[in-house]
Every structure is written in structure tokens, then in C-alpha cells.
Amino acid sequence: MALGEAGVIAQTSTTPTTGEPMITAYITHPDLARHDMGEHHPEAPMRLEAIRARLMRSGTLLQTVQVESGPASDEALERVHDRDYLVDLERRLPRQGIAIVDGDTRLCPDSLRAARLAAGAALKGVDMVCKARADNVFCATRPPGHHAERGRAMGFCFYNNVAVAAAHAIEQHGLERVAILDFDVHQGNGTLDIFRDDPRVLICSSYQEAFYPWRYLDGDWPNVVNTPLAAGDDSAVFRRRVEQEWLPALERHRPQLLLLSSGFDAHRDDPLAEIELCHDDFYWITARALDVAKRHADGRLVSILEGGYHLKSLPVGVEAHLHALLGQPWCESP
Ligand SMILES: [Zn+2]
């Protein structure tokens, strides 16, 4: 199980954390595929299918504890969303066809069922690590959540899964300090909207600058570390910025739980952005997060899928991420 204080790993180490097998839960649900925003939409059911196919082929999935999600309750959602907003979303749900909510954010008849299962996976993940039923968790879920604000759906997101998880950890498990690390290529504006100025929740978010969602560009909140990257920035820049900006803030915050908004769309192959990360970077950032979790949080870490839209690249990024969570080395294979 997780290391305690004695298992200190150098803060700025770049050596991957390997050698210690971890119990990793993989939480998902078949009904997540029923959320379908229409042909050619990048946030498509195939994303989870492609991930599962890759993880089955490599044998990685069989090394995890596979768990089925359940739907999040109204109470859990209302900790981070306005009740009026949640009621309005239900009212917009079409009986058939597709209802447009915000640009490319669309509801089909099963969308909110899937969104509740996605938030429910994050809740179950928190319960599992807080009750020591797993060392860490990956939620293979969609729709993503980090753009959903307290009262607004946007950016393919309806319920802010990572925020629901953080509020649950605080309210139900009595945690006083949580950290959210968001390495999706888009800023986690919804998470900022919900937790800015909440000293219990440290938010570190890297993202492509001058880019979607164009929210919360200016502002200085003591619990938020915004790490804007320029188009074309690569692994070296990303890693240096994380080491200089995130790791010291995490050491000061001493989180009792790490939550990851794990977006894989900063990969160089991703069609939605222009950051030049490679798959090794997803292994690296996961290993750094685990180092922090082991030092301060008894290893507790829950990772929640956000973006990642290249159907060949996304599954490889998730595979790298899972190998780090499992405490295994990883090198890219075809
Ligand atoms: Zn994204």
C-alpha cells in the first residue's frame, strides 16, 4: 500500500516512481457510451472504446481492479452546482434528437444519465482511496467536466466531475486540504469558477494560452496556480514549469488527496490544440503527482479523464498514465 512519511522521494526528482506495485481501480460504465453529441463530434463514444481496446491488447486493463460506476446524487451535484442550473439542464434534455446547450455542447436523451455516471465514478474513486480499497483510481469517463461552471455548461461539460469529487472529499470524508492538478490543454475554468478563493482546494492548471475557454484570464487567487503555455511549447517547457510552479505550491499546501483532471489533448498529435507534449510526459506528470500523494496524502490519488481527441494517441497517453499509477515502468510500444 501507500508509503507514509518515511517513503520520501526527492521533490524535484525526475526519476519515474516505479518498483512499488500499486492497486489501481479503473472505474467506468457501459452507459457512458450512450452520450452522443452527433456524428463528427470529437467528444465521441469511441474515445472510451479506443482506450479500452488499447488497454486490453496490452494487458494493462487486467492489472487494474475494474469497477462499475453508479449515478451521482442530487446532493453531490448541488455541492458545486446551482440547483437552478441542474433543473434547467434536466428541462433541456430532449426526448429524441439533440439539444444544443452551448456551441458544441449538446444533449441527447441519455446525456445526463452518462454525466451522472461520470460524476458518480469520481465520487466512488474518492470513497475507494479514502477507505483504503485502492491506492489510486482512474475514472475512464465521459462527458468530461472541468469546463462546467457552477451555473453553466460549456466545452462538452455538464457536471464538473473533479469538483464534485473534491467537495465530496471535504464534506463526506472530512478532508481539509485537497489539490486538483489539471494538465488538459484547456484551462479548467469550471474548476476555477467553483473553487477560486477556497483555501481548502489548491488548483494547478496548465493550458495553451489565448485559447479556449477564454475565461478567468485575469485574476490572482491565492489557491490557484495558472500555468499558461505558448503554442509550440514542448516537454522541456512543460516539465520545467510544473517543477517551478506546481511542486512548490503543492509542498506548501500539503494536500490530503490529489485529484487529477487528466486531459491528453496537449499531446502533439491532438487535433484540438498546439502544444507539443509526448506520451512520456503523461507518465512523468503522473509520477510527480504520485510523489506528492505519497508524501502528504498516504498515496491517495484519483484521476479523472478530461480531454484527448486523437483516437490513436489518446489511448497511448492513458496507458502511460496507468502504468505510472500501477507503479510500473513504461516505454511506448506500437
Ligand atoms: Zn481539453
Side-chain angles (χ1 to χ4, degrees):
M1 297 294 282
L3 289 173
E5 285 297 315
V8 172
I9 295 164
Q11 176 190 329
T12 55
S13 164
T14 54
T15 307
T17 307
T18 58
E20 186 195 7
M22 306 292 275
I23 298 170
T24 299
Y26 185 95
I27 308 182
T28 190
H29 195 288
D31 287 355
L32 297 168
R34 290 164 59 176
H35 169 55
D36 191 340
M37 295 188 284
E39 214 178 343
H40 307 305
H41 197 294
E43 207 293 276
M46 267 303 288
R47 296 175 66 229
L48 295 186
E49 287 302 312
I51 291 169
R52 173 172 286 274
R54 168 91 191 188
L55 297 179
M56 285 290 285
R57 197 168 65 242
S58 67
T60 306
L61 189 63
L62 295 177
Q63 297 176 53
T64 66
V65 178
Q66 296 179 61
V67 177
E68 194 163 282
S69 176
S73 65
D74 289 342
E75 180 189 3
L77 298 178
E78 286 175 14
R79 290 192 192 112
V80 301
H81 291 295
D82 298 333
R83 181 190 288 259
D84 289 352
Y85 162 71
L86 296 172
V87 170
D88 185 56
L89 265 186
E90 298 278 355
R91 189 183 56 76
R92 289 169 177 241
L93 199 65
R95 285 175 183 268
Q96 57 185 12
I98 285 177
I100 294 176
V101 176
D102 179 275
D104 285 336
T105 308
R106 303 169 185 174
L107 289 167
C108 75
D110 293 316
S111 292
L112 294 184
R113 156 91 177 144
R116 275 193 192 256
L117 288 169
L123 291 166
K124 188 169 273 193
V126 169
D127 288 340
M128 288 190 78
V129 297
C130 286
K131 293 175 181 172
R133 296 196 178 136
D135 290 316
N136 53 55
V137 172
F138 178 68
C139 299
T141 47
R142 59 180 291 277
H146 72 151
H147 293 308
E149 299 187 350
R150 191 168 280 279
R152 175 173 171 166
M154 59 182 284
F156 318 158
C157 302
F158 304 98
Y159 306 142
N160 193 314
N161 305 321
V162 78
V164 168
H168 179 71
I170 291 167
E171 298 276 330
Q172 291 295 302
H173 293 283
L175 300 191
E176 296 171 344
R177 296 180 309 280
V178 174
I180 297 173
L181 308 185
D182 186 332
F183 55 87
D184 190 279
V185 81
H186 305 97
Q187 187 205 44
N189 63 292
T191 312
L192 260 72
D193 181 68
I194 291 163
F195 289 124
R196 68 187 195 279
D197 288 326
D198 185 335
R200 299 171 299 181
V201 182
L202 173 69
I203 303 168
C204 301
S205 182
S206 60
Y207 53 90
Q208 184 171 332
E209 197 169 22
F211 202 58
Y212 190 88
W214 298 289
R215 309 268 289 168
Y216 294 106
L217 297 177
D218 300 313
D220 191 15
W221 303 278
N223 65 316
V224 175
V225 179
N226 267 329
T227 299
L229 301 168
D233 276 355
D234 61 7
S235 303
V237 176
F238 172 73
R239 295 186 186 200
R240 188 173 67 244
R241 297 286 299 277
V242 166
E243 287 180 337
Q244 291 176 347
E245 298 170 27
W246 293 15
L247 297 185
L250 286 162
E251 289 306 308
R252 286 193 296 274
H253 190 63
R254 296 180 295 116
Q256 297 159 302
L257 168 69
L258 269 86
L259 299 172
L260 305 188
S261 266
S262 296
F264 298 86
D265 44 8
H267 189 270
R268 60 187 168 218
D269 290 343
D270 198 277
L272 264 60
E274 296 148 327
I275 299 297
E276 301 284 322
L277 297 193
C278 60
H279 294 123
D280 280 346
D281 295 317
F282 300 122
Y283 186 92
W284 180 86
I285 186 65
T286 311
R288 298 287 71 72
L290 283 169
D291 290 346
V292 175
K294 285 174 182 169
R295 268 203 304 286
H296 297 295
D298 204 18
R300 291 186 289 255
L301 183 151
V302 177
S303 168
I304 300 160
L305 180 65
E306 300 284 1
Y309 303 98
H310 189 287
L311 291 178
K312 287 205 170 71
S313 177
L314 167 65
V316 184
V318 171
E319 185 178 84
H321 181 61
L322 272 173
H323 274 241
L325 293 179
L326 287 160
Q328 296 177 355
W330 184 79
C331 66
E332 189 165 352
S333 60

